[in-house]
Amino acid sequence: IEYPWETMKTQHGELIISIRRRGIGHQVCVEVEQPDGRIIRTLKSGSEVGLRDTAKYKSMGGYKDLAKGQSDWSFKNREDFGELLFVTTTSHKSIYGNSRNPGADCCVRFLTKGIQMLSVSSFEKVLGPKDAREEIMKVCERDGICAP
């Protein structure tokens, strides 16, 4: 995927895609190639990724802040939806269990707005909960990961 924002390769070979402030630290979305060739995107703490790499990415101009603009998404973007590209893995509870605000994000290609990162709740606002769930389940099954 060619992201329209800055990404950065870490010292350990992971690709930092985006970041958000979480508590006193950061949550970082990284892309990792698995031994079987699959590419998995997962959310890790800044300390898991490496504090120096996290700080370096955040200091870059044009980095992607996952928290920014989440309240802008709504049903008005539904007609612009193109495809769900991937869902991040996470260690939080399933979004379809008791957790209302899971720690997972969706990378979506919109027809006019291009590639965007949406929280699961923002993605649900765009497609509606049932359709969003179907898309998430389909992509997670395709990628061989558990739905968040």
Side-chain angles (χ1 to χ4, degrees), residues 19-138:
I19 193 169
R20 76 163 50 87
R21 190 104 176 114
R22 180 70 92 204
I24 60 169
H26 290 89
Q27 187 178 51
V28 183
C29 179
V30 294
E31 190 173 273
V32 182
E33 187 169 351
Q34 301 299 298
D36 62 7
R38 292 179 303 132
I39 295 177
I40 301 298
R41 288 84 176 185
T42 190
L43 297 172
K44 295 183 173 185
S45 69
S47 60
E48 285 179 284
V49 173
L51 295 176
R52 287 180 292 180
D53 282 330
T54 300
K56 184 177 176 183
Y57 179 70
K58 195 166 186 310
S59 71
M60 296 171 62
Y63 76 92
K64 181 67 169 177
D65 182 348
L66 286 168
K68 204 171 199 175
Q70 292 300 319
S71 62
D72 298 341
W73 299 103
S74 74
F75 68 93
K76 295 176 182 173
N77 304 106
R78 192 166 297 147
E79 294 303 315
D80 194 33
F81 173 74
E83 67 176 314
L84 178 59
L85 299 173
F86 66 80
V87 178
T88 60
T89 61
T90 180
S91 60
H92 297 302
K93 284 184 171 184
S94 170
I95 61 175
Y96 304 111
N98 295 330
S99 176
R100 179 66 191 124
N101 188 13
D105 294 289
C106 301
C107 185
V108 180
R109 184 186 319 276
F110 287 95
L111 303 176
T112 59
K113 292 186 183 283
I115 296 175
Q116 302 289 333
M117 294 290 288
L118 279 67
S119 65
V120 170
S121 56
S122 292
F123 187 55
E124 288 177 341
K125 288 178 192 173
V126 172
L127 291 189
K130 182 174 177 23
D131 291 343
R133 177 181 181 188
E134 287 174 4
E135 290 289 329
I136 289 169
M137 299 302 276
K138 182 171 62 176

